[in-house]
Amino acid sequence: MVSGRLEGRVAVITGASRGIGAAVARRFAHEGAEVVLVARTVGGLEEVDDEIRAAGGKAATLVPFDMTDFPAIDRLGGVIAERHGRLDILVGNAAILGGLRPTGHFPPDEWERVMAVNVTANWRLIRCFDALLRASDAGRATFVTSGAAAMAVPYWGAYAASKAALESMIRIYAAEIDKTSLRVNLLDPGAVRTRMRAEAMPGEDPLSLPHPDDIADAFVDLSAPDCRRNGETVRAY
C-alpha cells in the first residue's frame, strides 16, 4: 500500500540497481514517487523495478548508463524536462571505492575514475538538473557521503578525498540556493550491508550491519516537501 508522502513527486536516483540506491528506490515508490533509476546494470535495474511493481508501486523508468558517461546525464536531463518540466527529487548515490592502497600507489586511471564517479558526476547532475529542481515547488537534492571524508585512515586516500570534495561542493551549492525553495543536503548512511562495504571490510560479518532498507526513511525525510534542512550533513545512524 502506498502511503503517499512523496505522492506525485518525480525522483532521479543514481546507483539504483542494488544496495542503498535500490532500497531508496523501493521506499520512494512505496511513498508514491515516480522513480527514474540510473545504474550501469540493466538486470539489477529490472529486478528493482519488479520489486517495486510487486509491492504495488508505479513502474520505474530505467536508465542504464555509466555515471562517467557525462553526455548521457545531459540527455537524461533533456528527457526529464520534456516529460515533466521539473524534477522534484535528486539522490546522488552512485559511488565507487576504488581500492585501498598507499596514496602514492594508486594507478592514475583508478584515481581519476574515483574522482569522476564520486565528484564530477555529481557536479554534472547539479549542472544538468539545477534549473529543473528550481522549477519544482519543493525541489530536494540529497548526496550520499561517508564518515571517511573527515577521517585520516591509511589507504583510503582516493575514496576519502573524493567524499571530502563532494561535501565541500554540496555545501557551497546549498549556500548558493539558500534563498530559493530548493533544499540540498548530504546524508551519511554509516556502516551498511552493501557490496562496497564488503569490499572495504572483507572480514566483517555483514549480518552485524543494518540492511539498506533500514536507512531508507532518512532519504524520505530529506526528500519530502516539508523538509526545511539545507546544507546539512545528516547521519542515518
Side-chain angles (χ1 to χ4, degrees):
M1 179 180 296
V2 173
S3 60
R5 195 170 174 203
L6 301 179
E7 186 66 35
R9 315 303 285 176
V10 179
V12 169
I13 305 164
T14 68
S17 63
R18 62 174 187 259
I20 292 172
V24 172
R26 291 189 295 267
R27 185 62 181 157
F28 279 15
H30 173 77
E31 293 286 348
E34 181 175 340
V35 294
V36 180
L37 309 184
V38 180
R40 290 178 298 170
T41 310
V42 175
L45 289 173
E46 291 174 341
E47 289 179 10
V48 176
D49 183 40
D50 288 344
E51 292 168 349
I52 287 171
R53 289 189 288 175
K58 302 173 186 176
T61 299
L62 309 182
V63 189
F65 64 76
D66 190 295
M67 291 303 296
T68 61
D69 184 352
F70 301 140
I73 295 176
D74 294 339
R75 290 193 296 270
L76 175 59
V79 171
I80 298 292
E82 183 177 347
R83 289 186 183 178
H84 304 285
R86 73 184 200 283
L87 179 63
D88 301 304
I89 301 167
L90 173 63
V91 176
N93 166 70
I96 58 173
L97 180 64
L100 303 177
R101 64 188 78 220
T103 301
H105 292 192
F106 282 94
D109 60 342
E110 186 174 272
W111 181 276
E112 290 166 5
R113 180 163 174 79
V114 171
M115 295 301 166
V117 174
N118 297 3
V119 185
T120 307
N122 285 303
W123 170 73
R124 293 295 295 236
L125 289 171
I126 292 170
R127 177 178 179 273
C128 178
F129 289 117
D130 175 66
L132 291 172
L133 286 163
R134 291 173 188 249
S136 170
D137 61 340
R140 302 289 180 261
T142 303
F143 295 84
V144 178
T145 187
S146 166
M151 297 188 292
V153 180
Y155 313 121
W156 284 68
Y159 181 76
S162 72
K163 289 299 185 179
L166 175 69
E167 289 194 358
S168 180
M169 179 177 70
I170 297 309
R171 289 194 186 101
I172 290 169
Y173 180 41
E176 292 168 348
I177 56 84
D178 187 58
K179 296 188 184 303
T180 73
S181 61
L182 173 58
R183 304 289 85 184
V184 178
N185 293 286
L186 293 150
L187 194 149
D188 177 2
V192 181
R193 197 185 314 165
T194 64
R195 184 177 297 184
M196 183 187 293
R197 180 72 184 187
E199 180 184 353
M201 303 289 186
E204 187 175 57
D205 178 9
L207 296 180
S208 67
L209 303 175
H211 190 276
D213 288 338
D214 297 335
I215 65 164
D217 279 348
F219 287 88
V220 175
D221 291 341
L222 290 178
S223 301
D226 61 359
C227 175
R228 295 294 176 263
R229 293 179 181 234
N230 189 54
E232 297 185 27
T233 299
V234 178
R235 291 174 174 79
Y237 50 93

